[in-house]
Amino acid sequence: MISRRKFSQALGAVAAAGAPVLRAQPDNRIILGQSAPFTGPAAQLGIQFNRGAKLYFDQVNAQGGIHKRSVELVTLDDGYEPDRCADNTRKLLADDAFALFGYIGTPTSLAALPLATAAKTPFFAPFTGAMGLRQPFNRYAFHIRASYNDEAALIVRNLTTLGLQKIAVFYQNDAYGKAGLDGVQLALAKLNMKPVALATVERNSVDVAAAVQTLVAARPDAIVQISAYKSCAACIRTARKAGFGGTFFNVSFVGTQALADELGKDGAGVVVSQVMPSPYYAARAITREFVEAVKKAGGDHQANFSSMEGYLAAKVMAEGLRRAGPKPSQDTLVAGLETINNQSFGGFEVTFSPADHVASSFVELSMLTGDGRVRT
């Protein structure tokens, strides 16, 4: 492990740019570490999740914290690149982050989880539904969202119920895209079906021309997309210009509002599966609580699915920290989280146990409108 002096020197340039300087775990704080994209083509995923989480932690701290300790979320930018994420994780662990929280993406989380596990540090609420982070069971990994397999199953069921049989897949050429593709293929295989075409895009790229040519040539009824919002928007626009008139379905990681903002009027009819309660439908108490908190905070805060996920992740983490006791350790946090069983967080049900760290299988569908909104 690097010394604190070398570690502080290595972070000098980052601190000068305005990022928080990490420090040893103080008695009056609980420091959570987050590596996420805050720049680059996936930046809105990290920014919105982080804002939602901070919104809740700020409320907790304003009320005296948890067992008189404030919760501090220390963030480092990884640009949605696994190597940068691994470096960030080593830095966070070297400075005794109590837990790792809200990592964004499959390839980045896959790079970080082994480091967290080796350090016996909880890895909580990664923004990914990949099975590779859930199986085999890992004592330190906790997931609040449903899996990509759950999302793909609902998408395929919806498409086939509508009589759409020719399904193509556009996916990111990395662990995330492969995880989503596996889910779609598994769901189709149960119906003795296969994708009519497959095409890829590189991570953090919008070079989709070759992929669209392959997909459109297969004349699919629908294209399931497993990538981030920039590349998915580029694919949708390019495919429609090439004459594709079918339906586009996306999994939740795309970043629903970010995709709607990218597409504008071209987003009409695009479907996205969701693993969080809708921030646009006030039937659930968690939505009313979240929207009210966003309004009160003002500024750059937005009520969208990504920020809702950050808010809920923070809310569940806070409950785990309360159960961890006044002198928390990583072991008591794990034990505390494992006692959250069939608990409703404003209508979002969470269940952990010593043998199962996947809190929810909740999935529903939403649709983009032509005016940048999301209908659920």
Side-chain angles (χ1 to χ4, degrees):
M1 182 178 292
I2 62 175
S3 70
R4 293 193 187 281
R5 175 177 294 179
K6 290 181 179 178
F7 174 59
S8 297
Q9 291 172 344
L11 281 187
V14 176
V21 178
L22 304 179
R23 54 188 179 275
Q25 194 82 38
D27 291 338
N28 64 340
R29 285 187 173 92
I30 298 169
I31 298 177
L32 306 180
Q34 182 188 28
S35 179
F38 297 107
T39 58
Q44 282 302 313
L45 303 178
I47 290 168
Q48 295 302 326
F49 186 103
N50 178 268
R51 285 178 180 165
K54 278 185 56 55
L55 186 61
Y56 186 78
F57 287 140
D58 286 348
Q59 291 178 344
V60 168
N61 293 339
Q63 296 169 2
I66 298 173
H67 300 301
K68 298 182 179 180
R69 295 169 181 257
S70 63
V71 181
E72 181 176 336
L73 184 56
V74 175
T75 60
L76 295 174
D77 180 20
D78 59 37
Y80 192 34
E81 290 294 348
D83 290 346
R84 289 174 62 184
C85 179
D87 288 343
N88 288 349
T89 302
R90 293 185 187 98
K91 292 172 184 176
L92 293 164
L93 293 171
D95 206 63
D96 302 325
F98 184 72
L100 302 180
F101 172 90
Y103 276 44
I104 305 295
T106 302
T108 44
S109 294
L110 285 171
L113 182 57
L115 300 173
T117 303
K120 298 183 178 179
T121 298
F123 187 78
F124 187 81
F127 190 84
T128 168
M131 296 305 296
L133 292 157
R134 298 157 185 251
Q135 296 176 350
F137 173 80
N138 185 318
R139 180 173 185 262
Y140 297 100
F142 289 83
H143 305 270
I144 68 164
R145 55 165 31 229
S147 72
Y148 291 142
N149 284 8
D150 294 325
E151 295 189 64
L154 179 61
I155 288 172
V156 168
R157 184 163 65 248
N158 185 269
L159 287 170
T160 54
T161 298
L162 294 172
L164 305 178
Q165 302 290 316
K166 298 178 65 178
I167 300 169
V169 184
F170 169 78
Y171 66 101
Q172 196 164 283
N173 187 27
D174 64 5
Y176 158 50
K178 184 61 165 57
L181 173 63
D182 287 346
V184 175
Q185 290 178 318
L186 178 65
L188 288 172
K190 291 179 179 178
L191 301 172
N192 295 316
M193 297 169 61
K194 293 181 179 181
V196 297
L198 303 175
T200 64
V201 63
E202 296 304 311
R203 182 176 57 250
N204 286 336
S205 169
V206 292
D207 185 2
V208 299
V212 169
Q213 185 175 10
T214 297
L215 295 170
V216 172
R219 302 176 67 84
D221 299 320
I223 297 173
V224 179
Q225 299 185 300
I226 306 154
S227 192
Y229 57 93
K230 289 277 188 183
S231 55
C232 287
C235 177
I236 290 167
R237 282 205 174 99
T238 306
R240 285 183 170 158
K241 286 179 181 177
F244 176 69
T247 307
F248 290 93
F249 277 68
N250 290 261
V251 295
S252 60
F253 182 82
V254 70
T256 307
Q257 191 59 56
L259 180 64
D261 292 344
E262 284 286 324
L263 286 170
K265 61 182 177 59
D266 294 328
V270 173
V271 179
V272 185
S273 57
Q274 305 295 349
V275 295
M276 291 289 121
S278 173
Y280 311 112
Y281 183 58
R284 291 186 178 89
I286 186 62
T287 299
R288 297 192 295 274
E289 174 189 329
F290 173 60
V291 170
E292 180 61 28
V294 168
K295 288 181 180 177
K296 188 176 294 186
D300 293 329
H301 287 284
Q302 299 176 20
N304 55 53
F305 281 102
S306 299
S307 56
M308 167 69 91
E309 185 158 351
Y311 187 88
L312 255 173
K315 194 175 180 74
V316 178
M317 169 58 92
E319 180 62 23
L321 289 168
R322 291 186 188 99
R323 297 180 184 219
K327 296 182 178 180
S329 68
Q330 279 83 5
D331 282 340
T332 62
L333 175 57
V334 168
L337 288 166
E338 288 177 341
T339 64
I340 299 175
N341 187 272
N342 291 323
Q343 181 168 337
S344 176
F345 288 79
F348 182 77
E349 303 297 325
V350 172
T351 294
F352 291 126
S353 75
D356 188 354
H357 287 182
V358 178
S360 171
S361 59
F362 170 85
V363 187
E364 64 181 15
L365 298 178
S366 65
M367 182 179 290
L368 307 190
T369 65
D371 57 359
R373 295 184 298 163
V374 182
R375 190 176 71 206
T376 55

